[in-house]
Amino acid sequence: TQLLEQSPQFLSIQEGENLTVYCNSSSVFSSLQWYRQEPGEGPVLLVTVVTGGEVKKLKRLTFQFGDARKDSSLHITAAQPGDTGLYLCAGVVGNTPLVFGKGTRLSVIA
Amino acid sequence: GAGVSQSPRYKVAKRGQDVALRCDPISGHVSLFWYQQALGQGPEFLTYFQNEAQLDKSGLPSDRFFAERPEGSVSTLKIQRTQQEDSAVYLCASSLVQGATAVTEAFFGQGTRLTVV
């Protein structure tokens, strides 16, 4: 059983469109992170959220942590080809090491 | 370099062969993590070091997997008698912060892609 479920698994959109990807769990997380991973590279941290209901913005990316700290979403406005990659959510439950979801593979077509 | 360095970048091993994967963390980083990422999956935790002490090895899939960090800096992940299901990208991450949750402030290397044929 996957602790963190990400959806959709794959997403292909045109440049300029908006999109939202989701990360859901039945567990409560003390913190949750979003990473982007490009082919042949390790994951790169985008944001960490720790407070239920928290919203963080990073340029065209908006991250939200659910009130109950069990889910999160990533919204991208006016997607660009440079946004293409694998988006991973990862969370900490108690004192356990970071657990990753399977990721959403995003392709933005020019 | 300034980042986490892993070598080799690619390794092809015949089934049954032993392999050793190296991780050079960022200088001064106390915590070091190994993750395994199979094709189409997210990274899965293997083991965690704080300095030279291996504090958590709960993610190692079998006793064929062994990791060490003898001087609290460079780490090696060794896989004995490799099998096809060991094919994956092996990621190393290091953090200045102590504790298993230090991975939340860790930097990842580019990974070693292991293919067992």
Side-chain angles (χ1 to χ4, degrees), chain B residues 7-86:
Chain B
S7 60
R9 288 292 312 279
Y10 304 93
K11 176 69 179 178
V12 179
K14 291 185 178 179
R15 192 173 58 161
Q17 186 179 354
D18 297 351
V19 298
L21 313 180
R22 177 186 170 106
C23 174
D24 280 87
I26 295 172
S27 179
H29 277 197
V30 170
S31 296
L32 186 145
F33 302 82
W34 283 98
Y35 279 78
Q36 179 192 58
Q37 186 173 22
L39 189 64
Q41 305 291 318
E44 294 202 6
F45 171 77
L46 292 177
T47 187
Y48 160 62
F49 289 87
Q50 183 171 303
N51 296 307
E52 69 278 3
Q54 189 175 19
L55 299 186
D56 187 340
K57 54 181 181 179
S58 62
L60 295 177
S62 78
D63 58 8
R64 295 186 296 104
F65 286 71
F66 172 76
E68 60 182 4
R69 194 186 185 197
E71 297 179 0
S73 177
V74 171
S75 177
T76 304
L77 176 66
K78 297 180 180 178
I79 308 173
Q80 297 178 323
R81 304 182 303 281
T82 53
Q83 300 177 5
Q84 285 191 321
E85 61 261 32
D86 300 335

Side-chain angles (χ1 to χ4, degrees), chain A residues 11-103:
Chain A
L11 187 57
S12 181
I13 62 171
Q14 295 291 324
E15 181 178 4
E17 292 183 356
N18 301 333
L19 67 113
T20 302
V21 297
Y22 301 91
C23 176
N24 295 288
S25 177
S26 57
S27 298
V28 176
F29 290 93
S30 53
S31 68
L32 194 140
Q33 299 186 311
W34 285 92
Y35 292 79
R36 187 171 81 196
Q37 185 177 23
E38 299 188 27
E41 301 293 329
V44 175
L45 180 64
L46 297 174
V47 76
T48 300
V49 286
V50 296
T51 305
E54 184 175 3
V55 176
K56 284 193 174 179
K57 291 191 176 184
L58 183 65
K59 296 184 181 178
R60 293 175 294 99
L61 279 59
T62 302
F63 305 87
Q64 185 161 6
F65 201 15
D67 290 342
R69 306 206 318 274
K70 293 183 177 181
D71 56 86
S72 181
S73 64
L74 159 59
H75 182 79
I76 301 179
T77 303
Q80 300 176 0
D83 296 327
T84 293
L86 179 67
Y87 288 83
L88 295 159
C89 70
V92 173
V93 178
N95 199 35
T96 60
L98 201 63
V99 174
F100 283 84
K102 290 187 178 182

